[in-house]
Amino acid sequence: MTRENNWIRITKAENFPLREGRPVSLGGVEIAIFNLGDRFAAIENKCPHQGGPLCDGIVAGTAVVCPLHGWRFDLDTGAATRASLPVCVTIFPTRVEDGIVQVNVNGGSRIEMEDAA
Amino acid sequence: MQRLVLVGNGMAGVACIEQVLKLAPSFDITIFGDETHTNYNRILLSSVLAGEKSLDEITLHPLDWYVDKGITLRLGVRIVDVDADAKTVTGDDGSVVEFDKLLLATGSSPVIPPIAHASKTGVFTFRNMGDARALLERAGPGVNAVVIGGGLLGLEAARGLQVQGCAVTVIHLVDTLMERQLDPTGGTYLTRKMERLGMRVLLSRRTTAVLGNGHVQGVELADGEQIDADLVVIAAGIRPNADLGRKAGLIVNRGIVVNDYMETSHPDIFAVGECAEHRNVCYGLVAPLLEQGKVLAATITGNRGPVYEGTVEASKLKIMGVDVFSAGDINEAAENESVRHEDPSLGIYKKIILAGGKLKGIVLVGDASESHRYMDWLRTGADLTAKRKHLLFPDPVEDVGFDVAAMPDSETVCGCLGVSKGAIIEAIHAQGMNTMAQLKQVTRASTGCGSCTNLCEQLLRAVAPRFEEETKSTLCACVPFSYEQLRDIVLSQKLKSVQEVLNIYGNRKGCEVCKPALSYMLDMVWCGEHEEDRSARFINDRVHANIQRDGSFSVVPRIRGGVTSPGELRRIADVAEKYSVRMVKITGSQRIDLLGVKKADLPKIWADLGMPSGQAYTKGVRMVKTCVGTDFCRFGVQDSTSAGIELERRLENLYTPHKTKMGAVGCPRNCAEATVKDIGLIGQEGSWQVVVGGAAGKKVRKADLLITVESTAQALEAAELFFQYYRENANYLERTYDFVERTGIEKVRKDTVYAPEPDRKKLLDRLERSKAIAKDAWLERETPFHPTQFTQIEPMEKVLV
Ligand code: SRM
Ligand SMILES: Cc1cc2nc3c(=O)[nH]c(=O)nc-3n(C[C@H](O)[C@H](O)[C@H](O)COP(=O)(O)OP(=O)(O)OC[C@H]3O[C@@H](n4cnc5c(N)ncnc54)[C@H](O)[C@@H]3O)c2cc1C
Ligand code: SF4
Ligand code: FES
C-alpha cells in the first residue's frame, strides 16, 4: 500500500527531537528530516554551496541554516532564503501515521530557479 | 506666610507641590501622609513585584528633598477630619493643624467586591508599598496564588507573583481581560499571551467566597468550583478617597468635584489626583493627574488662568514581553470605522478607530512600538485621510525608529511625567547632557513606566553634543534586546529555556546567531541549572566534536597542560587505527587531533580513548599550554606544569562567551606563550604575574597585567576571578582581548582582584556552582542526551531504486 503511494515509513516520530534534523538514506538519496513541532519537513540533505549536511543545521522557525557556512533554506519551499542566489534544495512531502514519520520519496519537488532568485 | 496643607503624600499631591514651589516658593507647606515612606513611584510597584526593581529604587522624593524645600512632613499620620469653617485638619494622632489653603490628594482605595470572608489572612490588595512588601514575603515557588480581577493592575500583580515563583490563576468577572481598554479580539490575544506565560486565566467567572480556616486555602466560584490558593490578591477596581471632601462639606459625586481650574466648591480647598472628579471623570493614571497638578498650582498660587480640559487616557500593560497599549475611545460605534491588522502566529493585533478621518481610539496587542505615532494623531486630531493606506504600517525607513525630527516641540515624550520634546531639548542644551542617566535625573523623563525610553534615547542621540551609548547593540533581530537587558530579563523573569525567551521576548523562531548566544546566557545565569535545549546549539555542541568540511568530525581529547604518557599515546594510536582516522595531528595547542571521524563513531571513539573531552569544538575552556618549568628546565623558577594542569582541572568542562585559551610558563622566557593567551600565568622569582586579554590569532595583543601575587594558590584564584567575570560580563562571541579592551583593565581589576572580599567570594561561589554541575561532555557516550543524538536513522522499509 505505502509503496504504491511512494510513502516510505521511516521511524517513530520521537526519534526526531523537537526542532532538530536527522539524516536518512532512502535508495541512495540522502534526506534530512526535521521535527518542527506541529509537523515534519524533509529536504535533500546536501547544501548546494559545498555539500554541507543540512540535517545538522540550526532550525530557525521554518528554515534551516547550513552548519558549514550559514546558507539558509526554507523548509517549506526548499529555496535559499538569505543568500540572494538562485539556489534551492529538493523538498519531500511528509506525513505521520500511527506515530511513524513517512516520506514520499518520489514526491520530491524543486521550485523553479527564477522563483528563488 | 500662607499656610498650605497637603493631605496625601502621593504622586499627584507632591507633583502639584513641586509646581507650586516653582511658581511661589513662599508657602509654608505641611504634608500629611498615612504611608510611612516618602513619595515614591506607585506605578513601579508592579516592577518591584516582578523583581525588576527594588523597593528603594522607586523613591521619587527622598527625605532630603522635603528638608531642602522647608516642608514640614508628617508621615504615618492619617487626616480624619476637615473643618472648612475653622480651616483646620485633624490627624488620627489628635493633632489639629490650621491652613489657609488645603489640598486634598488622597488617591483611591481598592474596591473589595462582595466576596464572603474576604478579610481572611492571606488576602491582599495591591496599592501601596506595604502591599508589595507583604506579597513579596508570601510569594514563592510552591505557592498557589489567585488574582481576582483581570484588569491592568490584576494582570501586573499576577505576572509579578508568577515571576516570584507562584502558580497563578486569574479570575475575571467578564469575558474579556482588560475589557475597559481592549475589545474582545484584543482580549483574546492578551489571554493567549498570559496563558503562554504559564498562567491560568478564567473568564466570565465570579468569585463568591474565600475559603479556609483562618488562613486562606482557596476561593469558591459562583458555579461551585473551588480553586486552591495560599494567597489571594483582589484587584477589582478602585474607589476615590473622597471622604474628607464630604466631611468638609464639598460637592462630592464619585470623587471630589472640581472645575476646570481644579477648584472645589470651597474657595480655599482644592483637590487633585484620583480623589478628584473632573467633568464626571475620575482618572486612574498618572499622566492626567500631573496635568491637573500644573493647572492647580497656577490656581493656588494666585495665577488662576490655565484650565484643565480633561485628558485622553492611554494605558500600557507593564509586563515584559506582553505589549498591550490602549488609548482613547475604543468603542466601535456606528459612526466609527475601524482599521485592523492581525497576525495570530506572531500574536499581534492592532486596531485603530477612526471617525471623520480622525483617530479616536487605539488598541495594540503584541506590538506597541508605534504607540507614540498614534498618540500624536490622537492628541492633535490630525486628519489621516491622506495616510489611509498605511495607517498601521509605517514606511520601513520610519520603522527603524520614530522620526524624532518630525515631532513638534510641544509633543509629549514622557506621558507619565508630562515632559515634552521641547523641554528635553532645552534641558540637553542647558545642562550639556550626554547620557540617559543624566537625562533621567534632570528631566525625570522615562522614569515613570519607561515606555518612552527609546524615544528619549533617540532625542539624546540627535541633540546631545557627545552622546554616550549606555546599552550596547541588540543581540539580533529575533530578540531585539541588548545582552545586558537580556541577562536582566532572564534573571528577573526566571526564564530557563531558549524557546521561552524567544516566545516571550522574541519572534518565537530564533536563528543561528541568537539561539547559541541565549543557550550560553541561560547556562551562565543559572550556573548550569537551565533547561538545556540542544536544538538551540550549533552542531558541534550537540555532538561534542568539530564539524569538518565534508560533514565528518574531529576529536581532540583533553591532554591537560600538554602532558601525556606512553600508555595514553598508545591508546590514541590504537583508536586512530581502529577507526581509520584520516589524519592524526599535533595541534597548535599542545594536543592531538583525530580528524575525519564519522558522527556515529564518536561515542565509540570516546569510550576507547577513555579520555575527557578537550572542548576543541566549543566556546569553552580549551587548554592550558604549559612549559616544562622547574621540573626540568634550568631557568624555571615556578612549577608551571603543575600550576597549568591545576588551572585546567579547575576550569575544564565550563563554557565561556568565546573560547578561552590559557598558558602557564615557568619564567619570563614565556615558552608556552602565556602573554598572548586569554589568561596567562607567568612565573617569576618568588611570584606569579597573572595576565589577561592576550591574543595571537586574528589579532595579536599582549596580555594586560591583572595582578602580581606570591603564591600559586593566589595566582589560581586571580585567574578564576577573571574567568568568572569574563563569563558573566562579556557578550557572546567576545574574546577576552576585546572584552578587556572594551571594559578597561582598571575596571576589570576593580571588579575582580581588587573587589571587596564579599564580591570576590560571590564570583567564586558562582564559579563553584557552575563547576559542580559541569560534566565531561563525552560522557554522553553512555547517557546520550537524545537516543538518536549520534545516529543515522535507519528507515523501517527499503526503498527500491
Ligand atoms: C586544530 C587546530 C589547528 C591545528 O591543526 O593545530 C585549529 C583548528 C581550527 N581553528 Fe584554530 N586551531 C588550533 C589552534 C589555534 C591557535 C593556537 C593556540 O591555540 O594556541 C590559534 C591562535 C590563538 C587563538 O585562539 O587566538 C587559533 C586561532 C583560531 C581562530 C582565531 C581566533 C581569534 O579570535 O583570533 C579561529 C576562528 C574563530 O575562533 O573565530 C580558529 C578556528 C579554528 C577552527 C575551529 C575553524 C572551525 O570553526 O572549524 C579549526 C577547526 C579545524 C577542524 O576542522 O578541526 N582558530 N587556533 C588547533 C587546535 C587546538 C586545540 O588543540 O584545541
Ligand atoms: C501597582 C500599581 C501600578 C500602577 N501602574 C500605573 C501605570 O502603569 N501607569 C499609570 O499612569 N498609573 C498607574 N497606576 C496608578 C497610579 O499609581 C495612580 O494613578 C497615582 O498614584 C495616583 O496618584 P494620587 O496622588 O492621586 O494617589 P496616590 O499616589 O495613591 O497618593 C495618595 C496618598 O494619600 C494617602 N492618603 C489617603 N488618604 C489619606 C488621609 N486621610 N490622610 C493621609 N494620607 C492619606 C495615601 O495613603 C497615598 O499615599 C498604578 C497603580 C498601582 C497601585
Ligand atoms: S588556520 Fe585554523 S581556521 Fe584557518 S585553515 Fe588552518 S585550521 Fe582552519
Ligand atoms: S556548505 Fe552549506 S553553506 Fe557552505
Side-chain angles (χ1 to χ4, degrees):
Chain A
M1 224 283 276
T2 41
R3 276 247 279 108
E4 280 162 29
N5 291 330
N6 305 318
W7 286 100
I8 303 298
R9 302 188 323 134
I10 307 295
T11 186
K12 285 186 295 213
E14 60 258 37
N15 281 331
F16 300 94
L18 183 59
R19 294 184 292 269
E20 280 192 44
R22 288 291 181 264
V24 64
S25 181
L26 295 179
V29 189
E30 300 299 321
I31 292 180
I33 303 177
F34 297 88
N35 176 354
L36 298 182
D38 52 350
R39 65 202 154 95
F40 289 80
I43 62 170
E44 172 189 359
N45 189 22
K46 197 168 181 210
C47 178
H49 177 219
Q50 290 184 9
L54 296 173
C55 65
D56 285 340
I58 286 183
V59 172
T62 54
V64 65
V65 184
C66 177
L68 293 195
H69 316 96
W71 285 21
R72 181 191 276 242
F73 300 90
D74 187 299
L75 290 168
D76 292 321
T77 65
T81 62
R82 194 186 275 161
S84 52
L85 291 161
V87 294
C88 67
V89 289
T90 306
I91 55 169
F92 300 88
T94 65
R95 67 181 187 196
V96 181
E97 261 176 27
D98 302 328
I100 306 292
V101 179
Q102 305 188 355
V103 172
N104 188 344
V105 253
N106 295 350
S109 60
R110 293 168 73 88
I111 49 164
E112 289 301 317
M113 289 312 186
E114 290 77 41
D115 296 348
Chain B
M1 237 198 214
Q2 287 241 316
R3 291 161 302 181
L4 171 60
V5 169
L6 165 65
V7 182
N9 184 35
M11 296 189 74
V14 178
C16 178
I17 293 291
E18 269 195 323
Q19 298 296 325
V20 167
L21 287 169
K22 270 189 200 159
L23 296 172
S26 59
F27 276 104
D28 170 10
I29 301 173
T30 304
I31 300 181
F32 286 95
D34 62 359
E35 292 189 68
T36 50
H37 201 277
T38 61
N39 183 37
Y40 59 89
N41 190 337
R42 194 173 305 283
I43 299 182
L44 293 181
L45 287 178
S46 302
S47 311
V48 169
L49 192 59
E52 294 153 18
K53 289 238 152 53
S54 68
L55 275 173
D56 26 292
E57 274 176 283
I58 67 171
T59 302
L60 284 174
H61 295 88
L63 210 51
D64 294 352
W65 178 82
Y66 296 86
V67 174
D68 231 39
K69 303 289 177 195
I71 295 171
T72 309
L73 181 62
R74 301 287 312 279
L75 288 182
V77 181
R78 186 174 177 72
I79 297 301
V80 291
D81 203 7
V82 179
D83 186 331
D85 299 327
K87 288 197 167 183
T88 57
V89 293
T90 310
D92 60 358
D93 59 347
S95 62
V96 176
V97 172
E98 291 179 35
F99 62 82
D100 296 306
K101 293 190 189 300
L102 174 65
L103 174 51
L104 298 174
T106 45
S108 309
S109 298
V111 170
I112 308 293
I115 297 173
H117 317 300
S119 57
K120 274 194 202 311
T121 45
V123 180
F124 299 88
T125 53
F126 189 30
R127 176 74 198 178
N128 56 36
M129 259 197 190
D131 297 332
R133 212 176 266 130
L135 285 172
L136 282 172
E137 249 164 48
R138 285 218 86 85
V143 174
N144 289 319
V146 161
V147 175
I148 299 172
L152 272 169
L153 195 61
L155 293 179
E156 289 178 9
R159 178 56 174 161
L161 290 169
Q162 196 192 23
V163 168
Q164 296 301 329
C166 299
V168 180
T169 306
V170 176
I171 303 172
H172 195 44
L173 189 61
V174 291
D175 59 0
T176 301
L177 286 181
M178 287 178 63
E179 76 283 355
R180 290 185 46 211
Q181 290 88 8
L182 298 180
D183 61 347
T185 313
T188 308
Y189 271 79
L190 174 57
T191 305
R192 226 178 284 152
K193 283 182 190 292
M194 297 310 287
E195 285 173 344
R196 219 182 286 126
L197 290 176
M199 227 171 262
R200 210 170 142 213
V201 179
L202 303 179
L203 298 173
S204 309
R205 306 290 285 273
R206 191 161 58 86
T207 315
T208 49
V210 174
L211 307 171
N213 200 352
H215 192 278
V216 52
Q217 288 174 338
V219 295
E220 185 168 86
L221 307 183
D223 56 13
E225 192 186 339
Q226 301 193 342
I227 295 165
D228 287 346
D230 309 303
L231 180 167
V232 173
V233 176
I234 298 180
I238 52 173
R239 183 185 330 102
N241 292 328
D243 264 7
L244 291 179
R246 286 192 193 93
K247 288 193 167 142
L250 310 177
I251 298 178
V252 176
N253 290 334
R254 222 169 93 73
I256 301 168
V257 175
V258 297
N259 63 14
D260 286 1
Y261 297 102
M262 300 303 297
E263 295 161 330
T264 67
S265 52
H266 188 289
D268 291 315
I269 304 183
F270 306 87
V272 70
E274 286 187 348
C275 65
E277 177 177 323
H278 173 263
R279 297 191 187 178
N280 299 320
V281 183
C282 293
Y283 290 96
L285 293 171
V286 169
L289 313 183
L290 299 178
E291 287 180 44
Q292 292 180 348
K294 279 190 193 152
V295 171
L296 177 56
T299 305
I300 289 189
T301 54
N303 300 302
R304 190 172 189 266
V307 287
Y308 176 67
E309 298 179 294
T311 310
V312 183
E313 282 200 272
S315 326
K316 181 180 179 291
L317 183 66
K318 303 191 300 299
I319 296 182
M320 266 207 255
V322 183
D323 281 357
V324 177
F325 182 87
S326 161
D329 177 6
I330 61 153
N331 293 310
E332 290 186 49
E335 67 277 18
N336 294 346
E337 285 179 88
S338 75
V339 181
R340 319 151 182 263
H341 164 69
E342 266 191 73
D343 188 331
S345 68
L346 290 181
I348 294 176
Y349 174 68
K350 304 183 186 180
K351 178 170 95 171
I352 59 177
I353 311 265
L354 301 168
K358 292 181 178 172
L359 188 61
K360 292 288 161 203
I362 314 160
V363 171
L364 304 173
V365 182
D367 175 11
S369 56
E370 292 289 315
S371 60
H372 256 273
R373 216 162 52 109
Y374 302 130
M375 274 312 283
D376 190 30
W377 292 345
L378 197 60
R379 284 204 189 97
T380 57
D383 185 347
L384 301 174
T385 317
K387 295 195 166 78
R388 276 304 292 256
K389 278 195 175 153
H390 34 86
L391 279 177
L392 290 172
F393 298 96
D395 308 342
V397 204
E398 280 180 8
D399 199 12
V400 173
F402 184 81
D403 189 3
V404 286
M407 273 170 82
D409 272 6
S410 60
E411 193 178 324
T412 307
V413 171
C414 174
C416 290
L417 290 124
V419 189
S420 68
K421 174 185 166 187
I424 293 183
I425 292 182
E426 204 182 291
I428 294 175
H429 286 320
Q431 320 252 347
M433 291 182 296
N434 289 307
T435 67
M436 271 301 283
Q438 292 166 330
L439 183 84
K440 281 184 186 169
Q441 206 184 2
V442 174
T443 66
R444 286 266 172 76
S446 90
T447 58
C449 72
S451 63
C452 64
T453 310
N454 275 343
L455 210 55
C456 290
E457 204 174 288
Q458 284 175 44
L459 261 176
L460 198 60
R461 188 191 298 274
V463 179
R466 285 181 309 282
F467 172 73
E468 288 166 30
E469 194 108 33
E470 273 173 359
T471 49
K472 272 166 301 308
S473 52
T474 57
L475 171 54
C476 93
C478 303
V479 259
F481 296 92
S482 70
Y483 285 91
E484 283 75 6
Q485 284 172 314
L486 279 169
R487 268 196 293 264
D488 285 353
I489 288 173
V490 162
L491 195 66
S492 69
Q493 306 300 299
K494 306 211 166 42
L495 299 175
K496 299 222 165 163
S497 79
V498 172
Q499 201 57 39
E500 235 179 343
V501 179
L502 290 172
N503 285 349
I504 303 175
Y505 296 97
N507 65 356
R508 311 182 57 81
K509 294 179 179 158
C511 71
E512 77 281 13
V513 176
C514 57
K515 282 183 159 189
L518 290 171
S519 300
Y520 170 73
M521 190 179 287
L522 289 164
D523 177 14
M524 184 274 297
V525 167
W526 299 116
C527 296
E529 287 173 340
H530 63 297
E531 277 169 41
E532 171 72 7
D533 174 1
R534 284 293 158 83
S535 76
R537 299 281 192 186
F538 185 57
I539 182 64
N540 286 12
D541 281 307
R542 290 189 211 163
V543 299
H544 314 301
N546 196 326
I547 192 162
Q548 318 272 291
R549 55 191 315 146
D550 63 352
S552 69
F553 291 86
S554 66
V555 171
V556 181
R558 195 166 285 291
I559 299 181
R560 295 184 190 94
V563 178
T564 179
S565 67
E568 203 164 69
L569 289 171
R570 216 169 272 128
R571 250 184 353 237
I572 293 171
D574 289 343
V575 164
E577 275 179 0
K578 178 168 167 192
Y579 295 92
S580 322
V581 163
R582 290 214 337 254
M583 178 158 83
V584 182
K585 184 177 182 307
I586 308 291
T587 74
S589 301
Q590 298 187 336
R591 356 199 247 181
I592 295 173
D593 196 351
L594 306 173
L595 295 131
V597 177
K598 286 203 284 292
K599 194 199 277 175
D601 284 339
L602 290 170
K604 294 180 260 176
I605 287 209
W606 299 337
D608 289 349
L609 282 171
M611 296 165 75
S613 158
Q615 291 182 286
Y617 45 82
T618 190
K619 311 301 171 212
V621 172
R622 294 293 170 90
M623 78 305 181
V624 183
K625 250 170 128 162
T626 69
C627 69
V628 288
T630 43
D631 277 1
F632 299 93
C633 176
R634 65 197 163 111
F635 294 116
V637 288
Q638 290 288 358
D639 185 357
S640 52
T641 321
S642 317
I645 290 174
E646 175 59 18
L647 185 61
E648 190 161 347
R649 264 188 207 287
R650 288 197 193 182
L651 304 182
E652 67 190 20
N653 300 329
L654 289 169
Y655 295 90
T656 41
H658 205 312
K659 51 196 178 191
T660 306
K661 299 182 171 185
M662 293 167 278
V665 293
C667 86
R669 287 172 192 75
N670 195 25
C671 296
E673 301 152 343
T675 53
V676 288
K677 290 284 170 257
D678 295 295
I679 302 178
L681 306 186
I682 302 163
Q684 311 181 120
E685 194 64 61
S687 68
W688 286 99
Q689 278 188 343
V690 181
V691 298
V692 297
K698 281 189 284 220
K699 180 169 173 180
V700 181
R701 180 176 194 273
K702 184 173 186 291
D704 292 318
L705 177 64
L706 181 69
I707 196 170
T708 304
V709 290
E710 280 173 17
S711 70
T712 307
Q714 287 170 312
L716 292 170
E717 184 176 302
E720 285 180 321
L721 283 168
F722 173 78
F723 178 79
Q724 183 64 12
Y725 182 68
Y726 166 61
R727 267 167 53 88
E728 292 179 7
N729 293 289
N731 295 334
Y732 193 62
L733 295 188
E734 186 177 34
R735 282 289 290 263
T736 61
Y737 53 77
D738 283 330
F739 172 68
V740 169
E741 217 159 271
R742 169 167 71 87
T743 314
I745 186 68
E746 292 84 9
K747 178 164 169 54
V748 172
R749 273 191 211 115
K750 257 188 228 154
D751 291 347
T752 58
V753 287
Y754 293 166
E757 160 69 21
D759 294 347
R760 273 181 294 156
K761 184 164 179 316
K762 276 185 209 148
L763 270 177
L764 294 176
D765 282 350
R766 288 194 293 270
L767 174 63
E768 200 178 314
R769 267 177 62 200
S770 297
K771 179 69 184 176
I773 288 184
K775 284 196 302 280
D776 168 19
W778 286 1
L779 293 176
E780 282 179 14
R781 62 177 177 255
E782 279 144 24
T783 42
F785 190 79
H786 188 271
T788 62
Q789 187 174 0
F790 302 102
T791 48
Q792 164 97 12
I793 302 278
E794 278 306 319
M796 297 166 86
E797 319 177 53
K798 269 246 165 67
V799 180
L800 303 176
V801 265

